[in-house]
């Protein structure tokens, strides 16, 4: 403990009783010890000086081993006595002891506090200073650390908090610290972002599962494992050959090719309609069925993909405007877009009869069929021809109509276009798609225009 003693209070010789009260001290028989330290203009007296004096405090006016504390005369066990100037914040305490750090009295000239203990973890620390961040003492319940400096890069920052990831200061063991907890930026977990760190960096990575394995949902390049990339995701794929070819052993579903998957496996299947109906165009063994024309109709030939068929009334008793009645169930007369999209490689000869597709409204009145086998004189049904409305017919929505004529023609029938009717034109077989099956409006139920010449379809005869 440090004692605060004025430099004039230790007298070289015993002074007169008349002088002693003026100094506030009793008669002393000796000078200061050679080992005393000067402290702020006062002599610091070591604790062993006067160690035989009474330790118990003495109230003002009480006697202390032959002296009365507060009478201005140092007597007996008193270290000092300044009379009325004794005080809790004075050089001489109410106990007539020289003020010292740790006596429980705050000597205001030199002490900020004095709690009477040597505990450096409370609000009053060594040398009777108020505890502050940076004093080197950790104040319990207030500070988490205190290393006595303002270096924010060591283990304890200038706020007396341990350096942590996210405080904006790069500590030992950190590559970066951007002051946030965002794990999707360039500095997740206070380490520079990289593919394989387990954090998905926005705008840079699609995924990051923290490994370099390609046989899971996230590839080693931090891109999603998708069908066609050549890597099999065991949770979503049974195969992946690195392409989206739907005719090989691993189609774009990344499931091994099988009959009924909707993809025609080249060299293995004739067809695959993706259903389990055995009596439609494609049976359950993925082979073509011989399509049945309705009523009196006879099947004279099927397209290579079994999606078009020529049906004929052998007795020539069906009106051309009723030819759709000969088509297989659920089918209709082909539009030109359907025909040109499906006829590749069809060698059906046109030397016998004329083949007619759907009927359209002519611009000049009445209706006419899309006709293959007259005027243009194509050799077979594998030949594309321009739009036409040859062979007059009837359609109730047209301005005028023909009666029953040209009964000796054959009906060109098509399976429905799968996407027709969804309200979007998204197939080469579609010119329009109004999402309904009304054949009296501008867009027919096979997704072609009712009046081709007025819709920019081109060709002649309409």
């Amino acid at each position: 403990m440090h004692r605060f003693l004025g430099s004039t209070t230790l007298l070289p010789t015993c002074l007169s009783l008349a002088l002693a009260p003026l100094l506030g001290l009793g008669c002393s028989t000796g000078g200061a010890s050679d080992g005393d330290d000067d402290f702020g203009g006062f002599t610091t007296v070591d604790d062993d000086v006067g160690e035989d004096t009474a330790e118990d405090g003495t109230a003002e006016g009480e006697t202390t081993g032959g002296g009365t504390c507060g009478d201005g005369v140092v007597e007996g066990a008193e270290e000092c006595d300044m009379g009325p100037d004794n005080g809790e914040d004075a050089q001489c305490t109410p106990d007539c002891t020289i003020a010292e750090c740790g006596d429980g009295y705050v000597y205001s000239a030199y002490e900020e506090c004095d709690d009477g203990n040597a505990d450096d973890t409370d609000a009053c620390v060594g040398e009777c200073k108020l505890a502050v961040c940076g004093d080197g003492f950790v104040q319990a319940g207030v500070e988490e650390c205190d290393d006595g400096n303002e270096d924010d890069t060591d283990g304890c920052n200038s706020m007396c908090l341990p350096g942590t990831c996210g405080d904006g200061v790069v500590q030992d063991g950190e590559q970066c610290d951007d002051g946030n907890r965002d794990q999707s930026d360039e500095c997740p977990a206070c380490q520079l972002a990289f593919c394989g760190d387990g954090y998905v960096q926005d705008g840079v990575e699609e995924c990051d599962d923290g490994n370099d394995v390609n046989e899971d949902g996230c590839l080693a390049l931090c891109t999603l494992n998708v069908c066609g990339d050549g890597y099999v995701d065991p949770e979503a794929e049974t195969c992946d050959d690195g392409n989206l070819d739907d005719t090989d052993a691993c189609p774009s579903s990344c499931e091994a090719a099988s009959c009924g998957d909707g993809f025609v496996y080249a060299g293995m299947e004739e067809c695959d309609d993706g259903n389990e109906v055995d009596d439609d165009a494609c049976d359950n063994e993925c082979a073509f069925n011989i399509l049945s024309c309705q009523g009196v109709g006879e099947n004279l030939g099927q397209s290579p993909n079994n999606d078009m068929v020529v049906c004929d009334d052998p007795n020539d008793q069906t009106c051309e405007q009723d030819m759709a009645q000969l088509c297989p169930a659920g089918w209709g007369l082909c539009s030109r877009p359907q025909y040109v999209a499906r006829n590749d490689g069809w060698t059906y000869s046109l030397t016998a009869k004329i083949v007619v597709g759907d009927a359209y409204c002519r611009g000049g009145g009445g209706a006419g069929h899309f006709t293959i086998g007259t005027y243009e004189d194509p050799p077979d049904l594998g030949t594309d021809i321009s739009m036409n409305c040859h062979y007059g017919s009837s359609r109730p929505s047209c301005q005028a109509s023909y009666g029953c004529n040209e009964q000796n023609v054959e009906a060109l029938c098509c399976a429905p276009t799968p996407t027709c009717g969804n309200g979007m034109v998204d197939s080469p077989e579609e010119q329009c798609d109004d999402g309904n099956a009304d054949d009296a409006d501008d867009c027919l139920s096979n997704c072609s225009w009712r009046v081709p010449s007025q819709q920019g379809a081109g060709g002649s005869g309409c």
Side-chain angles (χ1 to χ4, degrees), residues 13 37 41 71 105 128 170 178 201 265 272 367 412 415 456:
T13 59
D37 300 319
D71 61 4
Y105 300 113
C128 291
V170 179
D178 53 9
Q201 187 177 358
Y265 186 7
D272 196 320
L412 180 64

Side-chain angles (χ1 to χ4, degrees), residues 56-371:
D56 296 334
T58 303
E60 185 174 354
E62 293 185 3
T63 58
T64 56
T68 301
C69 182
D71 61 4
V73 179
V74 178
E75 299 174 294
E78 296 176 342
E79 297 178 354
C80 61
D81 196 328
M82 300 179 70
D85 292 329
N86 290 349
E88 293 183 359
D89 63 347
Q91 179 184 3
C92 190
T93 72
D95 299 332
C96 288
T97 56
I98 298 171
E100 61 182 356
C101 182
D103 60 10
Y105 300 113
V106 179
Y107 183 16
S108 59
Y110 291 97
E111 297 176 322
E112 296 176 359
C113 59
D114 195 323
D115 55 5
N117 65 55
D119 185 0
D120 287 331
T121 67
D122 57 15
C124 187
V125 297
E127 297 186 0
C128 291
K129 301 289 185 181
L130 290 172
V132 294
C133 178
D135 59 13
F137 303 110
V138 178
Q139 186 177 357
V142 178
E143 300 172 333
E144 294 186 27
C145 61
D146 195 321
D147 55 5
N149 64 54
E150 296 184 356
D151 184 359
D152 285 330
T153 65
D154 58 11
C156 185
N157 63 27
S158 58
M159 294 181 291
C160 288
L161 295 171
T164 57
C165 179
D167 61 9
V169 179
V170 179
Q171 311 283 343
D172 290 341
E174 298 177 339
Q175 294 178 339
C176 56
D177 195 321
D178 53 9
N180 64 54
R181 302 282 183 174
D182 186 359
Q183 296 182 342
S184 64
D185 60 12
E186 297 178 349
C187 185
C190 290
Q191 303 296 315
L192 295 175
F194 64 94
C195 179
D197 60 9
Y199 303 104
V200 179
Q201 187 177 358
D202 283 345
V204 178
E205 301 172 331
E206 295 180 359
C207 59
D208 195 321
D209 55 5
N211 65 51
D212 58 358
V213 176
N214 283 322
E215 285 72 35
D216 57 13
C218 185
L219 303 181
L221 296 177
C222 289
T223 56
L224 292 172
N225 191 334
V226 296
C227 182
D229 59 15
Y231 300 102
V232 177
D233 180 358
E235 295 186 1
E237 303 170 333
T238 60
C239 64
D240 196 319
D241 56 4
N243 65 60
L244 298 178
D245 183 359
D246 286 330
T247 66
D248 60 12
C250 184
S252 59
S253 63
C254 282
E255 299 293 333
S258 62
C259 180
D261 61 8
F263 304 108
V264 179
Y265 186 7
M268 304 295 291
E269 300 172 334
E270 291 182 357
C271 58
D272 196 320
D273 55 7
N275 65 48
E276 296 182 358
V277 179
D278 202 34
D279 60 355
D280 59 4
C282 187
D283 67 22
N284 289 344
E285 299 298 324
C286 287
F288 286 132
N289 273 321
I290 301 300
L291 296 171
S292 297
C293 297
Q294 294 192 96
V296 298
E298 292 183 354
N299 183 341
L300 300 184
Q302 296 178 193
S303 64
N305 290 322
N306 217 37
D307 48 8
M308 291 192 292
V309 64
V310 175
C311 292
D312 182 49
D313 178 353
N315 301 315
D316 291 337
Q317 297 297 307
T318 302
C319 297
E320 82 289 335
Q321 66 193 39
D322 298 323
M323 284 292 163
Q325 298 176 3
L326 302 178
C327 294
W331 290 34
L333 294 177
C334 296
S335 68
R336 179 181 180 273
Q338 289 176 321
Y339 169 68
V340 299
R342 304 180 185 188
N343 68 345
D344 289 349
W346 198 6
T347 59
Y348 183 86
S349 175
L350 294 171
T351 58
K353 292 183 178 182
I354 303 302
V355 178
V356 296
D358 205 0
Y360 298 92
C361 294
R362 292 171 170 173
H369 285 280
F370 169 60
T371 305

Side-chain angles (χ1 to χ4, degrees), residues 29-59:
T29 58
S33 168
D34 291 337
D36 292 345
D37 300 319
D38 184 53
F39 186 89
F42 290 84
T43 302
T44 303
V45 180
D46 293 337
D47 284 343
D48 57 356
V49 176
E51 63 182 315
D52 295 333
T53 61
E55 295 182 359
D56 296 334
T58 303

Side-chain angles (χ1 to χ4, degrees), residues 377-403:
D377 196 26
D380 54 40
L381 287 180
T383 305
D384 294 343
I385 62 171
S386 60
M387 182 65 192
N388 65 73
C389 290
H390 303 321
Y391 280 38
S393 186
S394 297
R395 178 178 283 278
S397 58
C398 300
Q399 293 179 351
S401 63
Y402 290 82

